[in-house]
Amino acid sequence: MTAETKTLVLQMSVGILLWNLLLAVAGILFGPVLGWTRISIFLGLIVGGLCAEAMLVHMAVITERVLDSGNEAYANKTTVIHAVGRKLVYIFILLAILWKIPQVNVMAVVLGTMGLKAGAYLQPVLSGRRKASDGTEVRDDCEIQPDEENGVPGAEHKTAK
């Protein structure tokens, strides 16, 4: 993976971790009220977090692979096949847990896996990106400079601070 993709995966991983920590606190408080043991909730969140991380890394690797190919037909076919494969593996994991491991709370697994979405939503916050009042993206780690060196007067490019 490229350095930029590794950074993105790391930022999303932090979001997944924060989501699962929030759910763990909620599990401590509300798990017994709902009739679930705290250990089953924690085991479910661990499995769900691991599933979310595995899906995230797999998506990053496949995305880079299809972008490097430069072939649109290959990219479409590959991403669809791998997305369906990820879902089938995830469903298989859930069914295996339901069938063989009753100590793991399946609802917690599903909620822990939803940390992938939380990581995606938190990634711009964790990377320092924000929206300006006019709707354009602003990054705290970049500043806009005129791009005169490339022979384009008035054009702008972003440089890292």
Side-chain angles (χ1 to χ4, degrees), residues 112-127:
T113 306
M114 294 303 288
L116 187 58
K117 293 212 179 279
Y121 290 131
L122 287 172
Q123 188 276 330
V125 175
L126 296 171
S127 71

Side-chain angles (χ1 to χ4, degrees), residues 113-149:
T113 306
M114 294 303 288
L116 187 58
K117 293 212 179 279
Y121 290 131
L122 287 172
Q123 188 276 330
V125 175
L126 296 171
S127 71
R129 292 183 188 162
R130 54 187 165 79
K131 293 280 185 182
S133 59
D134 62 354
T136 58
E137 183 181 285
V138 177
R139 290 185 53 168
D140 292 336
D141 62 343
C142 295
E143 56 187 46
I144 305 281
Q145 307 229 342
D147 194 9
E148 313 247 342
E149 65 189 44

Side-chain angles (χ1 to χ4, degrees), residues 23-24 27-28 31-32 34-48 97 101-110:
L23 288 177
I28 290 171
L34 297 171
W36 298 331
T37 63
R38 290 182 175 129
I39 191 70
S40 73
I41 293 171
F42 291 136
L43 290 173
L45 290 175
I46 290 169
V47 172
I97 290 170
I101 313 171
Q103 298 84 1
V104 176
N105 187 319
V106 176
M107 180 63 76
V109 174
V110 172

Side-chain angles (χ1 to χ4, degrees), residues 8-153:
L8 179 70
V9 168
L10 178 64
Q11 291 166 346
M12 287 182 67
S13 296
V14 170
I16 292 169
L17 181 64
L18 291 174
W19 170 259
N20 282 312
L21 288 175
L22 179 69
L23 288 177
V25 170
I28 290 171
L29 299 175
F30 301 114
V33 174
L34 297 171
W36 298 331
T37 63
R38 290 182 175 129
I39 191 70
S40 73
I41 293 171
F42 291 136
L43 290 173
L45 290 175
I46 290 169
V47 172
L50 291 174
C51 285
E53 286 295 326
M55 287 183 205
L56 175 62
V57 170
H58 184 259
M59 284 189 280
V61 168
I62 295 305
T63 301
E64 282 200 339
R65 183 186 306 165
V66 298
L67 285 174
D68 289 341
S69 75
N71 184 339
E72 185 177 349
Y74 170 78
N76 286 335
K77 183 174 129 182
T78 303
T79 53
V80 168
I81 288 171
H82 284 277
V84 170
R86 270 192 308 274
K87 288 177 179 77
L88 290 175
V89 168
Y90 182 64
I91 289 170
F92 176 76
I93 290 170
L94 290 178
L95 291 174
I97 290 170
L98 279 171
W99 183 38
K100 290 286 188 183
I101 313 171
Q103 298 84 1
V104 176
N105 187 319
V106 176
M107 180 63 76
V109 174
V110 172
L111 289 173
T113 306
M114 294 303 288
L116 187 58
K117 293 212 179 279
Y121 290 131
L122 287 172
Q123 188 276 330
V125 175
L126 296 171
S127 71
R129 292 183 188 162
R130 54 187 165 79
K131 293 280 185 182
S133 59
D134 62 354
T136 58
E137 183 181 285
V138 177
R139 290 185 53 168
D140 292 336
D141 62 343
C142 295
E143 56 187 46
I144 305 281
Q145 307 229 342
D147 194 9
E148 313 247 342
E149 65 189 44
N150 293 326
V152 185

